[in-house]
Amino acid sequence: MSYHGVRELLRAGEARSWALAELSRPGLTAVRHPLGFVCLPLERDGGEGVCLHLWSDSLTPAESTTSQIHCHSWDLVSHVLYGQVRNVHAVVTDAGADATHRVFEVVSGADGDRISPTRRTVRHATGLVEVFGPGDTYTLAADRFHSSVVPEGGEAATIALGRGRAGSRDLSLGPLGGGLHHVSRQPLDAGETALAVRLIAAHLT
């Protein structure tokens, strides 16, 4: 189903039944995302995409080479299927000698992410913290630094919809001395993908 079709399902209150049906899709393969969740890609059409995101201690997370604070090149619509998700806005300010992080550009491709240091060095502070629970839908515009946080030991799943915005970049805060590197996306094997599907389905039935 297209990005627009899923948006309509969210408005109609049919997110749970749609997500449950999608979990039975043949050939579904989950991927470990460096931001700490497991991603189940469902749709991609040009600059629009739909995924299921799962946070669970039952699945080994990917290791991050930067940090959880990032901004998207696309506008996000996120619908919480179950659990609690905190959208923690970051106030990022340019800094020189007292900088704590460097801004990295992330360019994703079929073989993973090319992560390049930029000349920009910054400090950051916690801004608005939004807390969302089951059935909540929230939005986040491109170019807004934030992190998505699930309480320690908690589990959560969301429907994530993205629409690219021209001129925006995917960015992440990382170590000041970090260099150019490449990170491969790690697909889950068949057993782990099946476990991810069971974990989500158990909360939706």
Side-chain angles (χ1 to χ4, degrees):
M1 181 175 291
S2 70
Y3 172 98
H4 297 283
V6 178
R7 286 294 304 268
E8 289 303 315
L9 285 174
L10 296 184
R11 295 187 182 101
E14 299 175 5
R16 291 172 65 90
S17 59
W18 173 82
L20 186 60
E22 288 296 306
L23 291 172
S24 63
R25 176 190 293 197
L28 191 63
T29 301
V31 179
R32 295 183 220 281
H33 195 285
L35 292 175
F37 54 83
V38 166
C39 176
L40 291 89
L42 299 177
E43 302 292 341
R44 176 60 63 88
D45 182 11
E48 297 176 343
V50 182
C51 302
L52 293 178
H53 291 172
L54 168 67
W55 289 261
S56 174
D57 288 343
S58 298
L59 294 164
T60 303
E63 293 186 7
S64 174
T65 60
T66 52
S67 76
Q68 298 298 303
I69 301 173
H70 64 284
C71 71
H72 307 136
S73 61
W74 36 272
D75 296 323
L76 169 70
V77 177
S78 182
H79 178 84
V80 182
L81 291 167
Y82 63 85
Q84 183 190 95
V85 177
R86 298 173 186 169
N87 185 35
V88 182
H89 295 254
V91 180
V92 175
T93 54
D94 292 337
D98 61 344
T100 58
H101 290 77
R102 184 175 299 279
V103 176
F104 287 75
E105 181 176 10
V106 182
V107 178
S108 298
D111 61 343
D113 300 324
R114 185 176 186 270
I115 303 177
S116 307
T118 70
R119 297 174 61 86
R120 186 182 178 193
T121 56
V122 299
R123 298 181 65 85
H124 71 86
T126 299
L128 175 67
V129 178
E130 302 171 296
V131 180
F132 301 100
D136 289 337
T137 300
Y138 66 94
T139 61
L140 183 74
D143 304 321
R144 296 291 300 273
F145 278 100
H146 76 120
S147 58
S148 299
V149 179
V150 171
E152 185 175 355
E155 297 210 355
T158 65
I159 300 172
L161 300 93
R163 172 183 278 180
R165 181 182 291 187
S168 294
R169 300 185 295 168
D170 292 315
L171 303 174
S172 182
L173 301 191
L176 287 170
L180 172 68
H181 59 287
H182 183 273
V183 175
S184 298
R185 292 290 176 95
Q186 304 170 10
L188 277 65
D189 62 27
E192 291 176 305
T193 294
L195 174 57
V197 168
R198 289 197 303 273
L199 290 169
I200 298 173
H203 287 85
L204 301 182
T205 54

PDB file of all heavy atoms in Angstrom, residues 93-124:
ATOM      1  N   THR A  93      23.693  23.839  18.892  1.00  0.00           N
ATOM      2  CA  THR A  93      24.280  25.158  18.627  1.00  0.00           C
ATOM      3  C   THR A  93      25.721  24.994  18.163  1.00  0.00           C
ATOM      4  O   THR A  93      26.458  24.141  18.664  1.00  0.00           O
ATOM      5  CB  THR A  93      24.251  26.052  19.878  1.00  0.00           C
ATOM      6  OG1 THR A  93      24.872  25.373  20.977  1.00  0.00           O
ATOM      7  CG2 THR A  93      22.823  26.375  20.267  1.00  0.00           C
ATOM      8  N   ASP A  94      26.118  25.812  17.198  1.00  0.00           N
ATOM      9  CA  ASP A  94      27.495  25.770  16.705  1.00  0.00           C
ATOM     10  C   ASP A  94      28.461  26.162  17.811  1.00  0.00           C
ATOM     11  O   ASP A  94      28.168  27.042  18.635  1.00  0.00           O
ATOM     12  CB  ASP A  94      27.655  26.710  15.516  1.00  0.00           C
ATOM     13  CG  ASP A  94      26.883  26.237  14.301  1.00  0.00           C
ATOM     14  OD1 ASP A  94      26.592  25.029  14.208  1.00  0.00           O
ATOM     15  OD2 ASP A  94      26.556  27.079  13.438  1.00  0.00           O
ATOM     16  N   ALA A  95      29.597  25.503  17.840  1.00  0.00           N
ATOM     17  CA  ALA A  95      30.586  25.778  18.888  1.00  0.00           C
ATOM     18  C   ALA A  95      31.986  25.542  18.326  1.00  0.00           C
ATOM     19  O   ALA A  95      32.170  24.779  17.373  1.00  0.00           O
ATOM     20  CB  ALA A  95      30.339  24.890  20.104  1.00  0.00           C
ATOM     21  N   GLY A  96      32.949  26.210  18.935  1.00  0.00           N
ATOM     22  CA  GLY A  96      34.340  26.066  18.528  1.00  0.00           C
ATOM     23  C   GLY A  96      35.118  25.221  19.506  1.00  0.00           C
ATOM     24  O   GLY A  96      34.992  24.003  19.559  1.00  0.00           O
ATOM     25  N   ALA A  97      35.945  25.911  20.340  1.00  0.00           N
ATOM     26  CA  ALA A  97      36.806  25.185  21.271  1.00  0.00           C
ATOM     27  C   ALA A  97      36.022  24.395  22.303  1.00  0.00           C
ATOM     28  O   ALA A  97      36.531  23.398  22.848  1.00  0.00           O
ATOM     29  CB  ALA A  97      37.743  26.175  21.967  1.00  0.00           C
ATOM     30  N   ASP A  98      34.791  24.810  22.601  1.00  0.00           N
ATOM     31  CA  ASP A  98      34.003  24.105  23.612  1.00  0.00           C
ATOM     32  C   ASP A  98      32.998  23.130  22.995  1.00  0.00           C
ATOM     33  O   ASP A  98      32.079  22.665  23.658  1.00  0.00           O
ATOM     34  CB  ASP A  98      33.275  25.092  24.524  1.00  0.00           C
ATOM     35  CG  ASP A  98      32.299  25.985  23.766  1.00  0.00           C
ATOM     36  OD1 ASP A  98      32.408  26.050  22.526  1.00  0.00           O
ATOM     37  OD2 ASP A  98      31.436  26.601  24.422  1.00  0.00           O
ATOM     38  N   ALA A  99      33.190  22.783  21.719  1.00  0.00           N
ATOM     39  CA  ALA A  99      32.296  21.832  21.060  1.00  0.00           C
ATOM     40  C   ALA A  99      32.435  20.446  21.689  1.00  0.00           C
ATOM     41  O   ALA A  99      33.515  20.056  22.148  1.00  0.00           O
ATOM     42  CB  ALA A  99      32.605  21.759  19.569  1.00  0.00           C
ATOM     43  N   THR A 100      31.341  19.711  21.688  1.00  0.00           N
ATOM     44  CA  THR A 100      31.347  18.338  22.209  1.00  0.00           C
ATOM     45  C   THR A 100      31.131  17.300  21.118  1.00  0.00           C
ATOM     46  O   THR A 100      31.441  16.121  21.315  1.00  0.00           O
ATOM     47  CB  THR A 100      30.247  18.163  23.271  1.00  0.00           C
ATOM     48  OG1 THR A 100      28.978  18.481  22.688  1.00  0.00           O
ATOM     49  CG2 THR A 100      30.494  19.068  24.466  1.00  0.00           C
ATOM     50  N   HIS A 101      30.578  17.720  19.962  1.00  0.00           N
ATOM     51  CA  HIS A 101      30.268  16.778  18.903  1.00  0.00           C
ATOM     52  C   HIS A 101      30.564  17.400  17.533  1.00  0.00           C
ATOM     53  O   HIS A 101      30.578  18.630  17.387  1.00  0.00           O
ATOM     54  CB  HIS A 101      28.792  16.370  18.936  1.00  0.00           C
ATOM     55  CG  HIS A 101      28.426  15.511  20.106  1.00  0.00           C
ATOM     56  ND1 HIS A 101      28.247  16.027  21.382  1.00  0.00           N
ATOM     57  CD2 HIS A 101      28.212  14.164  20.200  1.00  0.00           C
ATOM     58  CE1 HIS A 101      27.932  15.036  22.204  1.00  0.00           C
ATOM     59  NE2 HIS A 101      27.905  13.917  21.511  1.00  0.00           N
ATOM     60  N   ARG A 102      30.766  16.529  16.562  1.00  0.00           N
ATOM     61  CA  ARG A 102      30.872  16.937  15.173  1.00  0.00           C
ATOM     62  C   ARG A 102      29.612  16.460  14.449  1.00  0.00           C
ATOM     63  O   ARG A 102      29.042  15.422  14.788  1.00  0.00           O
ATOM     64  CB  ARG A 102      32.111  16.330  14.511  1.00  0.00           C
ATOM     65  CG  ARG A 102      32.323  16.802  13.062  1.00  0.00           C
ATOM     66  CD  ARG A 102      33.631  16.276  12.494  1.00  0.00           C
ATOM     67  NE  ARG A 102      34.762  16.766  13.262  1.00  0.00           N
ATOM     68  CZ  ARG A 102      35.315  17.972  13.133  1.00  0.00           C
ATOM     69  NH1 ARG A 102      34.820  18.834  12.238  1.00  0.00           N
ATOM     70  NH2 ARG A 102      36.345  18.332  13.877  1.00  0.00           N
ATOM     71  N   VAL A 103      29.170  17.237  13.461  1.00  0.00           N
ATOM     72  CA  VAL A 103      28.029  16.835  12.643  1.00  0.00           C
ATOM     73  C   VAL A 103      28.532  15.958  11.497  1.00  0.00           C
ATOM     74  O   VAL A 103      29.486  16.325  10.797  1.00  0.00           O
ATOM     75  CB  VAL A 103      27.281  18.058  12.089  1.00  0.00           C
ATOM     76  CG1 VAL A 103      26.150  17.627  11.163  1.00  0.00           C
ATOM     77  CG2 VAL A 103      26.739  18.916  13.223  1.00  0.00           C
ATOM     78  N   PHE A 104      27.890  14.803  11.327  1.00  0.00           N
ATOM     79  CA  PHE A 104      28.221  13.880  10.250  1.00  0.00           C
ATOM     80  C   PHE A 104      27.058  13.800   9.269  1.00  0.00           C
ATOM     81  O   PHE A 104      25.893  13.806   9.678  1.00  0.00           O
ATOM     82  CB  PHE A 104      28.497  12.477  10.803  1.00  0.00           C
ATOM     83  CG  PHE A 104      29.802  12.349  11.529  1.00  0.00           C
ATOM     84  CD1 PHE A 104      29.955  12.878  12.805  1.00  0.00           C
ATOM     85  CD2 PHE A 104      30.884  11.722  10.940  1.00  0.00           C
ATOM     86  CE1 PHE A 104      31.158  12.769  13.477  1.00  0.00           C
ATOM     87  CE2 PHE A 104      32.094  11.609  11.603  1.00  0.00           C
ATOM     88  CZ  PHE A 104      32.237  12.139  12.878  1.00  0.00           C
ATOM     89  N   GLU A 105      27.376  13.705   7.993  1.00  0.00           N
ATOM     90  CA  GLU A 105      26.351  13.474   6.984  1.00  0.00           C
ATOM     91  C   GLU A 105      26.264  11.985   6.698  1.00  0.00           C
ATOM     92  O   GLU A 105      27.291  11.304   6.533  1.00  0.00           O
ATOM     93  CB  GLU A 105      26.656  14.224   5.692  1.00  0.00           C
ATOM     94  CG  GLU A 105      25.576  14.024   4.631  1.00  0.00           C
ATOM     95  CD  GLU A 105      25.810  14.836   3.375  1.00  0.00           C
ATOM     96  OE1 GLU A 105      26.908  15.413   3.233  1.00  0.00           O
ATOM     97  OE2 GLU A 105      24.891  14.896   2.535  1.00  0.00           O
ATOM     98  N   VAL A 106      25.028  11.479   6.640  1.00  0.00           N
ATOM     99  CA  VAL A 106      24.794  10.059   6.398  1.00  0.00           C
ATOM    100  C   VAL A 106      24.119   9.911   5.038  1.00  0.00           C
ATOM    101  O   VAL A 106      23.027  10.435   4.817  1.00  0.00           O
ATOM    102  CB  VAL A 106      23.904   9.445   7.503  1.00  0.00           C
ATOM    103  CG1 VAL A 106      23.713   7.953   7.252  1.00  0.00           C
ATOM    104  CG2 VAL A 106      24.507   9.692   8.892  1.00  0.00           C
ATOM    105  N   VAL A 107      24.786   9.203   4.139  1.00  0.00           N
ATOM    106  CA  VAL A 107      24.222   8.935   2.810  1.00  0.00           C
ATOM    107  C   VAL A 107      23.994   7.433   2.703  1.00  0.00           C
ATOM    108  O   VAL A 107      24.943   6.648   2.738  1.00  0.00           O
ATOM    109  CB  VAL A 107      25.154   9.424   1.694  1.00  0.00           C
ATOM    110  CG1 VAL A 107      24.555   9.088   0.323  1.00  0.00           C
ATOM    111  CG2 VAL A 107      25.386  10.928   1.812  1.00  0.00           C
ATOM    112  N   SER A 108      22.732   7.044   2.601  1.00  0.00           N
ATOM    113  CA  SER A 108      22.378   5.625   2.589  1.00  0.00           C
ATOM    114  C   SER A 108      22.310   5.102   1.159  1.00  0.00           C
ATOM    115  O   SER A 108      21.834   5.779   0.255  1.00  0.00           O
ATOM    116  CB  SER A 108      21.025   5.411   3.281  1.00  0.00           C
ATOM    117  OG  SER A 108      21.098   5.807   4.635  1.00  0.00           O
ATOM    118  N   GLY A 109      22.792   3.875   0.985  1.00  0.00           N
ATOM    119  CA  GLY A 109      22.727   3.199  -0.295  1.00  0.00           C
ATOM    120  C   GLY A 109      22.398   1.745  -0.103  1.00  0.00           C
ATOM    121  O   GLY A 109      22.171   1.279   1.027  1.00  0.00           O
ATOM    122  N   ALA A 110      22.394   1.005  -1.189  1.00  0.00           N
ATOM    123  CA  ALA A 110      22.028  -0.410  -1.116  1.00  0.00           C
ATOM    124  C   ALA A 110      22.998  -1.205  -0.251  1.00  0.00           C
ATOM    125  O   ALA A 110      22.617  -2.216   0.343  1.00  0.00           O
ATOM    126  CB  ALA A 110      21.986  -0.997  -2.529  1.00  0.00           C
ATOM    127  N   ASP A 111      24.251  -0.745  -0.168  1.00  0.00           N
ATOM    128  CA  ASP A 111      25.258  -1.493   0.587  1.00  0.00           C
ATOM    129  C   ASP A 111      25.479  -0.935   1.994  1.00  0.00           C
ATOM    130  O   ASP A 111      26.403  -1.354   2.694  1.00  0.00           O
ATOM    131  CB  ASP A 111      26.584  -1.518  -0.174  1.00  0.00           C
ATOM    132  CG  ASP A 111      27.153  -0.121  -0.409  1.00  0.00           C
ATOM    133  OD1 ASP A 111      26.379   0.863  -0.272  1.00  0.00           O
ATOM    134  OD2 ASP A 111      28.349  -0.007  -0.728  1.00  0.00           O
ATOM    135  N   GLY A 112      24.671   0.031   2.416  1.00  0.00           N
ATOM    136  CA  GLY A 112      24.816   0.566   3.769  1.00  0.00           C
ATOM    137  C   GLY A 112      24.885   2.082   3.789  1.00  0.00           C
ATOM    138  O   GLY A 112      24.387   2.754   2.879  1.00  0.00           O
ATOM    139  N   ASP A 113      25.540   2.618   4.834  1.00  0.00           N
ATOM    140  CA  ASP A 113      25.590   4.062   5.047  1.00  0.00           C
ATOM    141  C   ASP A 113      27.022   4.579   4.930  1.00  0.00           C
ATOM    142  O   ASP A 113      27.940   4.052   5.580  1.00  0.00           O
ATOM    143  CB  ASP A 113      25.059   4.408   6.448  1.00  0.00           C
ATOM    144  CG  ASP A 113      23.630   3.963   6.645  1.00  0.00           C
ATOM    145  OD1 ASP A 113      22.856   4.036   5.683  1.00  0.00           O
ATOM    146  OD2 ASP A 113      23.294   3.543   7.772  1.00  0.00           O
ATOM    147  N   ARG A 114      27.199   5.627   4.126  1.00  0.00           N
ATOM    148  CA  ARG A 114      28.474   6.338   4.059  1.00  0.00           C
ATOM    149  C   ARG A 114      28.367   7.518   5.011  1.00  0.00           C
ATOM    150  O   ARG A 114      27.534   8.406   4.829  1.00  0.00           O
ATOM    151  CB  ARG A 114      28.758   6.806   2.640  1.00  0.00           C
ATOM    152  CG  ARG A 114      30.127   7.466   2.458  1.00  0.00           C
ATOM    153  CD  ARG A 114      30.342   7.796   0.978  1.00  0.00           C
ATOM    154  NE  ARG A 114      31.687   8.288   0.730  1.00  0.00           N
ATOM    155  CZ  ARG A 114      32.041   9.563   0.780  1.00  0.00           C
ATOM    156  NH1 ARG A 114      31.118  10.479   1.086  1.00  0.00           N
ATOM    157  NH2 ARG A 114      33.284   9.942   0.541  1.00  0.00           N
ATOM    158  N   ILE A 115      29.225   7.530   6.036  1.00  0.00           N
ATOM    159  CA  ILE A 115      29.123   8.515   7.110  1.00  0.00           C
ATOM    160  C   ILE A 115      30.346   9.427   7.034  1.00  0.00           C
ATOM    161  O   ILE A 115      31.482   9.000   7.266  1.00  0.00           O
ATOM    162  CB  ILE A 115      29.016   7.816   8.481  1.00  0.00           C
ATOM    163  CG1 ILE A 115      27.806   6.871   8.476  1.00  0.00           C
ATOM    164  CG2 ILE A 115      28.905   8.842   9.600  1.00  0.00           C
ATOM    165  CD1 ILE A 115      27.633   6.076   9.737  1.00  0.00           C
ATOM    166  N   SER A 116      30.089  10.689   6.713  1.00  0.00           N
ATOM    167  CA  SER A 116      31.175  11.637   6.430  1.00  0.00           C
ATOM    168  C   SER A 116      31.185  12.770   7.447  1.00  0.00           C
ATOM    169  O   SER A 116      30.145  13.398   7.685  1.00  0.00           O
ATOM    170  CB  SER A 116      31.010  12.242   5.025  1.00  0.00           C
ATOM    171  OG  SER A 116      30.879  11.242   4.055  1.00  0.00           O
ATOM    172  N   PRO A 117      32.346  13.072   8.038  1.00  0.00           N
ATOM    173  CA  PRO A 117      32.413  14.218   8.949  1.00  0.00           C
ATOM    174  C   PRO A 117      32.293  15.521   8.175  1.00  0.00           C
ATOM    175  O   PRO A 117      32.813  15.660   7.066  1.00  0.00           O
ATOM    176  CB  PRO A 117      33.809  14.076   9.582  1.00  0.00           C
ATOM    177  CG  PRO A 117      34.608  13.327   8.559  1.00  0.00           C
ATOM    178  CD  PRO A 117      33.646  12.397   7.876  1.00  0.00           C
ATOM    179  N   THR A 118      31.572  16.475   8.741  1.00  0.00           N
ATOM    180  CA  THR A 118      31.503  17.811   8.163  1.00  0.00           C
ATOM    181  C   THR A 118      32.403  18.739   8.973  1.00  0.00           C
ATOM    182  O   THR A 118      32.983  18.346   9.988  1.00  0.00           O
ATOM    183  CB  THR A 118      30.064  18.359   8.188  1.00  0.00           C
ATOM    184  OG1 THR A 118      29.682  18.645   9.548  1.00  0.00           O
ATOM    185  CG2 THR A 118      29.080  17.341   7.597  1.00  0.00           C
ATOM    186  N   ARG A 119      32.524  19.977   8.549  1.00  0.00           N
ATOM    187  CA  ARG A 119      33.338  20.946   9.271  1.00  0.00           C
ATOM    188  C   ARG A 119      32.607  21.507  10.495  1.00  0.00           C
ATOM    189  O   ARG A 119      33.209  22.180  11.329  1.00  0.00           O
ATOM    190  CB  ARG A 119      33.724  22.097   8.340  1.00  0.00           C
ATOM    191  CG  ARG A 119      34.587  21.670   7.165  1.00  0.00           C
ATOM    192  CD  ARG A 119      34.809  22.820   6.198  1.00  0.00           C
ATOM    193  NE  ARG A 119      35.494  23.930   6.823  1.00  0.00           N
ATOM    194  CZ  ARG A 119      36.817  24.056   6.924  1.00  0.00           C
ATOM    195  NH1 ARG A 119      37.594  23.108   6.422  1.00  0.00           N
ATOM    196  NH2 ARG A 119      37.362  25.100   7.494  1.00  0.00           N
ATOM    197  N   ARG A 120      31.339  21.226  10.618  1.00  0.00           N
ATOM    198  CA  ARG A 120      30.521  21.821  11.675  1.00  0.00           C
ATOM    199  C   ARG A 120      30.714  21.098  13.004  1.00  0.00           C
ATOM    200  O   ARG A 120      30.514  19.883  13.101  1.00  0.00           O
ATOM    201  CB  ARG A 120      29.046  21.789  11.282  1.00  0.00           C
ATOM    202  CG  ARG A 120      28.133  22.527  12.251  1.00  0.00           C
ATOM    203  CD  ARG A 120      26.686  22.405  11.827  1.00  0.00           C
ATOM    204  NE  ARG A 120      25.810  23.066  12.789  1.00  0.00           N
ATOM    205  CZ  ARG A 120      24.491  22.920  12.836  1.00  0.00           C
ATOM    206  NH1 ARG A 120      23.885  22.146  11.933  1.00  0.00           N
ATOM    207  NH2 ARG A 120      23.770  23.552  13.737  1.00  0.00           N
ATOM    208  N   THR A 121      31.086  21.833  14.041  1.00  0.00           N
ATOM    209  CA  THR A 121      31.188  21.289  15.398  1.00  0.00           C
ATOM    210  C   THR A 121      30.182  22.019  16.293  1.00  0.00           C
ATOM    211  O   THR A 121      29.942  23.215  16.130  1.00  0.00           O
ATOM    212  CB  THR A 121      32.605  21.437  15.968  1.00  0.00           C
ATOM    213  OG1 THR A 121      32.999  22.821  15.935  1.00  0.00           O
ATOM    214  CG2 THR A 121      33.599  20.601  15.173  1.00  0.00           C
ATOM    215  N   VAL A 122      29.614  21.274  17.251  1.00  0.00           N
ATOM    216  CA  VAL A 122      28.448  21.792  17.974  1.00  0.00           C
ATOM    217  C   VAL A 122      28.449  21.347  19.428  1.00  0.00           C
ATOM    218  O   VAL A 122      29.215  20.467  19.844  1.00  0.00           O
ATOM    219  CB  VAL A 122      27.133  21.293  17.304  1.00  0.00           C
ATOM    220  CG1 VAL A 122      27.023  21.775  15.873  1.00  0.00           C
ATOM    221  CG2 VAL A 122      27.030  19.776  17.382  1.00  0.00           C
ATOM    222  N   ARG A 123      27.557  21.959  20.186  1.00  0.00           N
ATOM    223  CA  ARG A 123      27.128  21.485  21.490  1.00  0.00           C
ATOM    224  C   ARG A 123      25.621  21.232  21.392  1.00  0.00           C
ATOM    225  O   ARG A 123      24.956  21.760  20.514  1.00  0.00           O
ATOM    226  CB  ARG A 123      27.407  22.508  22.591  1.00  0.00           C
ATOM    227  CG  ARG A 123      28.883  22.829  22.791  1.00  0.00           C
ATOM    228  CD  ARG A 123      29.065  23.838  23.916  1.00  0.00           C
ATOM    229  NE  ARG A 123      28.646  23.284  25.203  1.00  0.00           N
ATOM    230  CZ  ARG A 123      29.445  22.544  25.984  1.00  0.00           C
ATOM    231  NH1 ARG A 123      30.685  22.306  25.619  1.00  0.00           N
ATOM    232  NH2 ARG A 123      29.002  22.098  27.143  1.00  0.00           N
ATOM    233  N   HIS A 124      25.093  20.444  22.326  1.00  0.00           N
ATOM    234  CA  HIS A 124      23.645  20.222  22.289  1.00  0.00           C
ATOM    235  C   HIS A 124      23.091  20.143  23.701  1.00  0.00           C
ATOM    236  O   HIS A 124      23.795  19.835  24.667  1.00  0.00           O
ATOM    237  CB  HIS A 124      23.301  18.944  21.518  1.00  0.00           C
ATOM    238  CG  HIS A 124      23.668  17.669  22.231  1.00  0.00           C
ATOM    239  ND1 HIS A 124      22.834  17.058  23.142  1.00  0.00           N
ATOM    240  CD2 HIS A 124      24.783  16.910  22.162  1.00  0.00           C
ATOM    241  CE1 HIS A 124      23.406  15.967  23.602  1.00  0.00           C
ATOM    242  NE2 HIS A 124      24.596  15.855  23.026  1.00  0.00           N
TER     243      HIS A 124
END
